[in-house]
Amino acid sequence: MSALLRVQELTAGYGAAPVLHGVDLTVPAGTILAVLGANGAGKTTLLRTLSGLLRPTHGRIRYDGTDLRATPVEQMVRLGIAHVPEGRGVVTELTVDENLRLGGLWRRDRADARRALTEVYDLFEPLARRRHHPGHQLSGGERQMLALGRALVGRPRLLLLDEPSLGLAPRVTAQIMALLRTLRDTTGLTVLLVEQNVRSALSVADQGVVMSLGRIVARDDAASLRADADLRHVYLGF
Amino acid sequence: MERFLFLTFDGLSRGAVYAAFALALVLIWRAARIVNFAQGAMAVATAYAGYSVASATGSYWLGFAVAIVAGLLLGAAVERVVMRFVDHSSPLNGVVVALGLVLVIQAVLGMLYGNEYRPAAAPFSRSAFQVGGVALLSRFDLFVFAAVSAVVGLLGLLFTRTAVGLRMRAAAFAPDVSRLLGVPVAGMLTLGWALAAAVGSLAGLLVLPTELGLHPNAMDLVFVSSFTAAVVGGLDSAVGAVVGGLVVGLLLSFVSGYLGATVAPMAVLALLLVVLLGRPGGLFTRGRARAA
C-alpha cells in the first residue's frame, strides 16, 4: 500500500510559540489512522495545518504527489481532502439542505453531486427530516451528522475528522465509527481520526499515534495500542 | 385629506429610493461587517460617469447603464484596493477609511466637474397624474417603484435560489468553513461590494433628479436618511432595510409637508437617536437577525 499522506518534521503554531514540534506521519491509502492524546496535545492544530487553515513554519506535507504547503485552502477539497472541524463545522445560519449543497458546489459533475446528496440523506435519516431547518435548530448529534455528511457530498479521498464523537450519545458515535469502516472498505477512503474517545477510535482504526505536547510519542497498530496498558495509563487515561 | 394623500405617495416614492440605498448598506454590512460611509460619494461618482456618457451620446439609457456598470467596477475596486487592507480588529478602522474615501472621491469629482450643480435628467415625466383632482404619482415615481421592486426581487432570488448566492452567504457567515468547502471567499467579498455599489448607483440615479441636481456632495443628506433607514431595519435585515426606507421616506415627507422642509433633517436624526437608544439592534433583529 502506498502512502496517501506523508508528513515530515512538521512544525506549526500560533504566533511565535509553536504547538507542533516536528511531527512525522505516514498514512497509507485506504486506512484509518487514529490521532490520540490529551487536550492541548496539538491534534486539532495538526488537522488545521494539514488542511491549510494554518501554515507550517517548517516541514513538509506530501499528499498524493502534491505539496500541500503550496496549496490554497480553497483547492484542498478539489484534491479530495475534506476537513470536518471540531464542533463548529455547520454554518448555523443556513438550512440543512443549504449546508449539504455547499459541500458539492465546487464539483463539475453536477449529476453525481446530486446523487451524493441523496445518498447522505439516506445515510442520515434525521437530516432528511430536518432538511429545511436552519443549522442552529439542530441537536449536537445532528450537527455532527451534517458536518460529516457535507464532507461526504464531495466524495473525498482523505477525511480529516476532528472529534466526531464530541457530545454524542454512544449509540450515535458507534454508528459514525461503523460508517467510517464501511466507507474505508467500500470506497477506499483514508481517514485521519482525531479523538478523545480512545476506545471507539481504536475500535475502528488500523493504526494509531499518540500525541503529547506537540510531539508524537507512540505509534503502533490499533490493536497493540489497545493492549498497551502503560501507554493507556500515562497518555490516554483509561 | 388631499394633502395627506399627496404626502403619503411622495413619501413612499422617496422611501423606495432610501430603501434601495439602505439595502446597499446592508449588503456590505452582511458581507464585510463594515458600514460603507463612502457609499454616497461612490454613487455620485458613478452618476457623473453616466452623466458624461449621456451628454456625449444624447442617450439617457446608455448613461444609466454606464453608471450601473461603473458602480459594479468601483465597488469591486474599493474592496480590492482599499478595504481588503483595512485592519478589522477595531470596527472604527473601516469607518475612518471610508470617510477618507469620501473626501478623496469628492475632491476628485470637484476637480473634474467643478462644484456647481448640474441638472440630473429624469427619464420620465415628473409631473403627477391627477386622480379626482388630486396630484398623486408621476410616471417617474412609478419608474422608481418598479426599479426598486425589481432590485429587491432579483437580490432575493440571487441569495436564496442560486449557487453564487449560497456561496456569498456562506462566505459571510463562516469564512473558514467555506474555504474548506472550496468557496473563493475573497472573490465573494469583492462580488458583494460590486453588487452593493451598483445598487447604490441605481439609488443615486433615482434620487438625484428629485434633488437639486448633480454635485459632489449631492448624496450626503440621502446617505444620512438611508443610513437611518438601515439602522431602523437593523443593518442585518434586507426586509428591515426596505421597511426602514419607507418609514424614513414617509417621516421626511410628513415633517416637511406639515412642519416645514428645514425641520425634516432634524426629524431623521431624532428617529436615528430614538432607535439607537430604544432598540439599538433595530426593529427587525429579533429572531431573524442573521436569517437569510
Side-chain angles (χ1 to χ4, degrees):
Chain A
M1 257 183 299
S2 61
L4 184 67
L5 182 71
R6 192 186 296 275
V7 176
Q8 286 173 309
E9 294 171 18
L10 194 67
T11 301
Y14 308 88
V19 176
L20 301 178
H21 302 272
V23 169
D24 292 297
L25 267 185
T26 303
V27 192
T31 66
I32 299 177
L33 175 78
V35 180
L36 310 170
N39 265 334
K43 307 186 299 295
T44 294
T45 305
L46 173 64
L47 290 199
R48 288 175 57 84
T49 311
L50 293 179
S51 67
L53 288 175
L54 193 64
R55 291 297 173 185
T57 49
H58 182 73
R60 286 198 296 187
I61 312 169
R62 300 287 294 179
Y63 165 84
D64 193 28
T66 310
D67 177 12
L68 288 193
R69 284 190 67 169
T71 308
V73 181
E74 293 85 352
Q75 291 301 320
M76 294 291 179
V77 75
R78 292 175 176 81
L79 295 175
I81 300 174
H83 179 179
V84 181
E86 178 191 356
R88 306 195 179 276
V90 168
V91 187
T92 52
E93 293 88 349
L94 301 181
T95 66
V96 168
D97 199 57
E98 286 170 336
N99 267 285
L100 287 178
R101 280 194 284 132
L102 196 59
L105 277 187
W106 59 274
R107 301 189 58 191
R108 292 189 179 269
D109 188 347
R110 301 309 307 155
D112 190 60
R114 276 192 296 276
R115 241 186 339 264
L117 193 71
T118 315
E119 286 170 23
V120 167
Y121 278 128
D122 291 341
L123 207 57
F124 298 113
E125 195 268 336
L127 295 185
R129 265 188 286 124
R130 318 206 71 180
R131 199 173 176 135
H132 297 296
H133 289 245
H136 62 79
Q137 289 182 4
L138 301 186
S139 71
E142 288 166 339
R143 286 185 198 204
Q144 202 55 260
M145 286 179 208
L146 180 53
L148 182 57
R150 193 179 57 195
L152 296 180
V153 171
R155 297 211 192 281
R157 293 171 60 205
L158 175 65
L159 190 57
L160 307 173
L161 260 186
D162 201 350
E163 301 268 6
S165 76
L166 198 74
L168 294 195
R171 189 178 50 82
V172 185
T173 304
Q175 278 174 0
I176 287 181
M177 295 302 156
L179 173 67
L180 293 181
R181 191 184 294 134
T182 309
L183 287 171
R184 175 196 61 191
D185 296 341
T186 56
T187 69
L189 179 71
T190 309
V191 184
L192 227 81
L193 176 62
V194 162
E195 262 300 344
Q196 300 247 31
N197 188 338
V198 178
R199 277 172 210 277
S200 60
L202 288 180
S203 74
V204 67
D206 299 288
Q207 310 246 301
V209 297
V210 180
M211 289 184 72
S212 176
L213 301 175
R215 292 187 171 82
I216 289 183
V217 293
R219 64 185 83 216
D220 212 334
D221 291 344
S224 315
L225 282 177
R226 258 200 313 269
D228 188 334
D230 288 347
L231 192 71
R232 282 190 347 210
H233 186 70
V234 174
Y235 292 112
L236 304 175
F238 79 103
Chain B
M1 189 60 200
E2 288 173 14
R3 185 159 175 73
F4 176 78
L5 275 178
F6 169 77
L7 290 175
T8 303
F9 279 101
D10 185 53
L12 289 175
S13 168
R14 279 164 168 276
V17 178
Y18 298 147
F21 207 70
L23 201 57
L25 287 172
V26 167
L27 276 176
I28 293 182
W29 173 257
R30 286 176 52 149
R33 299 283 134 180
I34 288 176
V35 177
N36 181 18
F37 280 91
Q39 194 161 272
M42 288 164 66
V44 173
T46 61
Y48 270 111
Y51 165 83
S52 295
V53 171
S55 351
T57 62
S59 161
Y60 172 84
W61 292 109
L62 192 60
F64 184 90
V66 164
I68 301 290
V69 172
L72 284 170
L73 297 177
L74 183 60
V78 164
E79 194 278 319
R80 275 283 158 107
V81 182
V82 182
M83 289 303 176
R84 181 164 292 191
F85 303 101
V86 174
D87 171 14
H88 290 295
S89 56
S90 155
L92 207 55
N93 293 347
V95 173
V96 173
V97 170
L99 290 175
L101 212 54
V102 172
L103 297 180
V104 172
I105 292 174
Q106 290 181 343
V108 170
L109 289 177
M111 287 190 287
L112 289 176
Y113 293 94
N115 273 319
E116 70 271 19
Y117 281 94
R118 290 164 190 261
F124 298 103
S125 159
R126 292 199 55 229
S127 53
F129 304 115
Q130 300 282 324
V131 179
V134 189
L136 292 179
L137 282 169
S138 67
R139 281 179 198 280
F140 183 72
D141 290 330
L142 292 177
F143 171 61
V144 168
F145 286 130
V148 173
S149 311
V151 163
V152 171
L154 287 175
L155 285 176
L157 285 178
L158 174 77
F159 281 105
T160 57
R161 295 275 180 270
T162 69
V164 172
L166 179 54
R167 284 194 188 96
M168 289 178 74
R169 282 189 295 152
F173 289 134
D176 271 358
V177 168
S178 301
R179 289 167 74 210
L180 288 172
L181 297 170
V183 176
V185 171
M188 292 300 116
L189 191 55
T190 308
L191 184 59
W193 274 84
L195 277 179
V199 173
S201 296
L202 173 72
L205 294 172
L206 295 179
V207 76
L208 287 172
T210 70
E211 305 265 326
L212 293 172
L214 261 179
H215 181 274
N217 295 81
M219 292 291 280
D220 288 1
L221 275 177
V222 175
F223 178 86
V224 173
S225 302
S226 304
F227 175 63
T228 305
V231 171
V232 167
L235 265 180
D236 239 328
S237 160
V239 178
V242 172
V243 175
L246 295 177
V247 166
V248 170
L250 286 172
L251 177 76
L252 271 176
S253 182
F254 288 136
V255 170
S256 36
Y258 290 120
L259 302 176
T262 45
V263 201
M266 280 189 271
V268 173
L269 290 176
L271 174 65
L272 183 61
L273 206 60
V274 168
V275 170
L276 285 178
L277 288 176
R279 286 204 59 145
L283 304 181
F284 287 81
T285 44
R286 193 182 55 198
R288 48 176 308 132
R290 306 191 66 186

